[in-house]
């Protein structure tokens, strides 16, 4: 039976990059797609960024492919107004997707596209393993006329499961990033990661890095990192920073996985580009679809276990870039359709 994929195009360039991605997926296999509104589009249709019905559809799916959400239309500082981002957070929480994987591997063809010098980024191949359902994103929030607060909390169980994901993904080294000189959650984080390391992964090298220092090293010596393990908000920030090593955030895919999440959370992972909905270029046909294509590759690999299909997509993207494909974010003028054509032509 064909794998069942729920697609959530979302807002801005989301729908524009989703359509060619389905074309690409259809070129490598047989899937059945079920599309739903999500984010701002869902706020317009239903008054909320994620309906129960859509969450249930995602729970029943084999995998979920997501475009991007948000836009100026829904931007507000009113704490009571619905926000597209709440759909994303609700989806992550609702599906128990605690592990966010963001690989960063600048392609030789694009060394010149990075703001960093070639010799600095050459050979970089790192994976950000970001905790996705805890921390300050999900702690209690308060707001009065003159003050506001966001609580950051973590349990040992939450830390241990994401740390296990990171150690399993590592060949030789894990850099655990925290702010243990200031934050209590970070001190617990450090303790739990060290204990798990000693107990189950002594063959992997473990280092603890303070987040400010990690931000510096990421630019200063990106090759140093293999797996960066970190909590929700630090991972959000560091992954955008790491994206620039590749030259453009338009190239970065991500996978959000659950697995042994809360009972009933289902097994479907969510696969989405790291970039946002880019409202400034939406509707012009110039969005770079490559991060979305690479997210589809992650869906094939991590969501459906289709390794050779995943590799085929990745090689096709690489091949197209080697042959000279450059979208505007990479300094070229290829539009979405041209980029899609170039990748399809490079499929074996
Ligand atoms: C990301 C995004 C989201 C996050 C936003 C849109 C809520 O920046 O996936 O990195 O902060 O997690
Ligand atoms: Mg982010």
């Amino acid at each position: 039976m064909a794998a069942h994929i729920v697609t959530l195009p979302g807002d801005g360039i989301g729908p524009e990059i989703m359509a060619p991605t389905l074309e690409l997926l259809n070129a490598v296999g047989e899937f059945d797609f079920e599309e739903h509104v999500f984010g701002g589009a869902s706020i317009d249709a239903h008054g909320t960024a994620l309906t129960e019905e859509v969450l249930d559809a995602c729970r029943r799916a084999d995998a979920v492919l997501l475009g991007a959400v948000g836009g100026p239309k829904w931007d507000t500082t009113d704490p009571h107004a619905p926000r597209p981002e709440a759909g994303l957070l609700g989806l992550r929480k609702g599906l128990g997707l605690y592990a966010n994987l963001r690989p960063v591997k600048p392609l030789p063809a694009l060394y010149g596209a990075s703001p960093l010098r070639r010799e600095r980024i050459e050979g970089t191949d790192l994976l950000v393993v970001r905790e996705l359902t805890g921390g300050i994103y999900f702690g209690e929030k308060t707001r009065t006329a003159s003050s506001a607060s966001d609580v950051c909390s973590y349990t040992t169980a939450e830390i241990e499961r994401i740390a296990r994901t990171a150690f399993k993904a590592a060949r030789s080294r894990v850099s655990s990033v925290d702010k243990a000189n200031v934050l209590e959650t970070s001190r617990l984080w450090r303790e739990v990661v060290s204990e798990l390391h000693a107990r189950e992964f002594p063959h992997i090298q473990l280092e603890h890095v303070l987040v400010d220092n990690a931000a510096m090293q990421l630019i200063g010596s990106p090759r140093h990192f293999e797996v960066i393990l970190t909590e929700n908000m630090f991972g959000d920030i560091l992954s955008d920073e790491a994206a620039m090593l590749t030259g453009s955030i338009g190239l970065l895919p991500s996978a959000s996985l659950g697995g042994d999440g809360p009972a009933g959370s289902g097994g479907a992972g969510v696969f989405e580009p790291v970039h946002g909905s880019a409202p400034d270029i939406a509707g012009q046909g110039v969005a770079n679809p490559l991060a979305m294509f690479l997210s589809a590759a992650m869906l094939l690999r991590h969501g459906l276990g289709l390794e050779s299909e995943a590799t085929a997509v990745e090689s096709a993207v690489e091949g197209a870039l080697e042959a000279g494909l450059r979208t505007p974010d990479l300094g070229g003028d290829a539009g979405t359709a041209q980029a899609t054509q170039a990748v399809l032509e490079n499929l074996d």
Side-chain angles (χ1 to χ4, degrees), residues 129-205:
V129 177
R130 169 188 176 194
E131 201 290 326
L132 205 58
T133 51
I136 199 166
Y137 273 59
F138 291 96
E140 194 201 344
K141 295 177 191 302
T142 69
R143 171 93 170 258
T144 69
S146 58
S147 77
S149 70
D150 301 271
V151 171
C152 181
S153 86
Y154 269 109
T155 64
T156 51
E158 284 174 321
I159 299 168
E160 197 172 290
R161 65 183 180 180
I162 188 68
R164 188 171 283 112
T165 302
F167 284 120
K168 279 188 180 160
R171 278 164 281 119
S172 62
R173 179 163 63 232
V174 169
S175 307
S176 177
V177 172
D178 62 35
K179 188 72 184 172
N181 52 350
V182 177
L183 301 178
E184 208 49 56
T185 40
S186 283
R187 290 191 269 268
L188 180 68
W189 182 279
R190 209 172 259 223
E191 238 173 66
V192 172
V193 171
S194 295
E195 277 165 20
L196 178 72
H197 172 248
R199 215 166 55 235
E200 292 180 27
F201 303 95
H203 54 286
I204 304 279
Q205 214 186 316

Side-chain angles (χ1 to χ4, degrees), residues 102 130 236 240:
R102 298 183 164 182
R130 169 188 176 194
D236 177 45
D240 269 31

Side-chain angles (χ1 to χ4, degrees), residues 3-347:
H4 183 65
I5 301 176
V6 163
T7 63
L8 307 173
D11 311 314
I13 61 169
E16 292 168 53
I17 56 176
M18 180 65 79
T21 306
L22 303 193
E23 212 181 310
L24 181 61
L25 281 170
N26 281 329
V28 298
E30 230 180 273
F31 309 97
D32 91 76
F33 300 110
E34 175 186 339
E35 183 181 302
H36 288 280
V37 288
F38 183 62
S42 175
I43 291 177
D44 288 351
H46 306 291
T48 172
L50 171 64
T51 62
E52 272 306 315
E53 182 207 347
V54 171
L55 183 57
D56 278 341
C58 293
R59 286 200 178 103
R60 285 191 302 266
D62 293 314
V64 179
L65 190 60
L66 174 70
V69 296
K73 181 173 177 193
W74 306 281
D75 262 344
T76 169
T77 52
D78 175 357
H80 304 295
R83 289 196 64 103
E85 293 81 2
L88 207 49
L89 301 184
L91 189 64
R92 291 169 179 174
K93 198 68 167 181
L95 296 177
L97 307 173
Y98 65 87
N100 183 222
L101 311 182
R102 298 183 164 182
V104 178
K105 186 179 180 182
L107 299 172
L110 291 180
Y111 282 164
S114 171
L116 296 183
R117 278 200 303 276
R118 178 192 181 98
E119 55 271 29
R120 193 146 282 192
I121 52 171
E122 223 165 11
T124 298
D125 182 2
L126 63 86
L127 175 70
V128 177
V129 177
R130 169 188 176 194
E131 201 290 326
L132 205 58
T133 51
I136 199 166
Y137 273 59
F138 291 96
E140 194 201 344
K141 295 177 191 302
T142 69
R143 171 93 170 258
T144 69
S146 58
S147 77
S149 70
D150 301 271
V151 171
C152 181
S153 86
Y154 269 109
T155 64
T156 51
E158 284 174 321
I159 299 168
E160 197 172 290
R161 65 183 180 180
I162 188 68
R164 188 171 283 112
T165 302
F167 284 120
K168 279 188 180 160
R171 278 164 281 119
S172 62
R173 179 163 63 232
V174 169
S175 307
S176 177
V177 172
D178 62 35
K179 188 72 184 172
N181 52 350
V182 177
L183 301 178
E184 208 49 56
T185 40
S186 283
R187 290 191 269 268
L188 180 68
W189 182 279
R190 209 172 259 223
E191 238 173 66
V192 172
V193 171
S194 295
E195 277 165 20
L196 178 72
H197 172 248
R199 215 166 55 235
E200 292 180 27
F201 303 95
H203 54 286
I204 304 279
Q205 214 186 316
L206 168 67
E207 64 170 358
H208 299 283
V209 190
L210 294 173
V211 64
D212 46 350
N213 183 259
M216 192 174 69
Q217 284 195 59
L218 206 45
I219 299 297
S221 44
R223 264 190 305 276
H224 168 80
F225 295 105
E226 182 193 321
V227 170
I228 295 177
L229 159 65
T230 193
E231 62 93 56
N232 204 343
M233 187 153 78
F234 296 159
D236 177 45
I237 298 167
L238 291 179
S239 58
D240 269 31
E241 187 190 357
M244 280 321 286
L245 301 169
T246 66
S248 169
I249 197 165
L251 294 168
L252 242 69
S254 81
S256 303
L257 308 171
D260 50 12
S265 69
V270 172
F271 302 84
E272 60 177 310
V274 171
H275 64 69
S277 58
D280 53 321
I281 59 162
Q284 298 171 23
V286 297
N288 178 354
L290 298 183
M292 189 77 204
F293 292 171
L294 295 171
S295 299
M298 289 191 91
L299 179 151
L300 292 165
R301 174 177 298 117
H302 298 282
L304 305 177
L306 299 173
E307 179 59 37
S308 62
E309 286 84 347
T311 312
V313 169
E314 287 163 350
S315 309
V317 168
E318 218 166 310
L321 287 167
E322 268 158 24
L325 168 67
R326 294 292 182 275
T327 42
D329 55 312
L330 295 169
D333 58 8
T336 312
Q338 244 178 304
T340 305
Q341 200 48 42
V343 172
L344 286 171
E345 276 163 16
N346 276 275
L347 260 186

